[in-house]
Amino acid sequence: MSRPAEQPVSGYCGPELPPKVPKMPKWIHAYAAVEWRRLVKILAPLGYLTDADQQTLAALCQATAEHQIATETLAAEGRTTYTGKEGTGQLQPHPAVAQQRSAWQAMRAFSALFGLDPASRGKLPTPRTSKAREGVQSRQRA
């Protein structure tokens, strides 16, 4: 017999928070604000957002902004740089390469929490809003 912690969760039985779009934090980067608005348009109609999701959504959006900034830096400065004075020393990866990779890993982890990839999307519960439930049910019947 397995312990309760080892049993798969078929349905969330904890306290349910009412669906609500959290307020976008003022501290996020302008690129993150664009991503915030894009994701809210996707997630809010499904009933997946609550006030409790503010910081997690902000972290996802900020990671997306950091990825974009690192990508722009690499496009402008190249993927490699020299140690020491310009043109001297050893060739090494540009620091933005590691920043880009780190941001991508954070994006991937936070995206999964909101079901923004095919593998994690199937693990999320049925949408909580009636309009979203109707859309899912009609797709399932088709």
Side-chain angles (χ1 to χ4, degrees), residues 1 10 36 58 70 82 85 96 117 137 140:
M1 183 169 177
S10 59
W36 178 283
Y82 287 94
K85 294 194 178 207
D117 64 83
Q137 290 169 350
Q140 289 173 343

Side-chain angles (χ1 to χ4, degrees), residues 54-136:
Q54 181 194 43
Q55 294 303 308
T56 306
L57 183 59
L60 169 57
C61 295
Q62 191 64 26
T64 302
E66 290 174 10
H67 184 270
Q68 186 173 349
I69 293 165
T71 301
E72 290 173 354
T73 300
L74 293 172
E77 300 176 12
R79 296 190 67 79
T80 56
T81 187
Y82 287 94
T83 59
K85 294 194 178 207
E86 193 167 325
T88 65
Q90 295 182 346
L91 189 64
Q92 67 181 18
H94 192 291
V97 171
Q99 293 167 345
Q100 184 186 46
R101 189 172 295 128
S102 175
W104 178 79
Q105 290 170 339
M107 288 168 56
R108 187 172 175 222
F110 286 117
S111 291
L113 297 175
F114 291 104
L116 295 172
D117 64 83
S120 63
R121 194 168 16 259
K123 297 175 187 174
L124 290 178
T126 303
R128 291 184 283 182
T129 64
S130 59
K131 188 175 183 180
R133 260 194 308 276
E134 289 169 9
V136 170

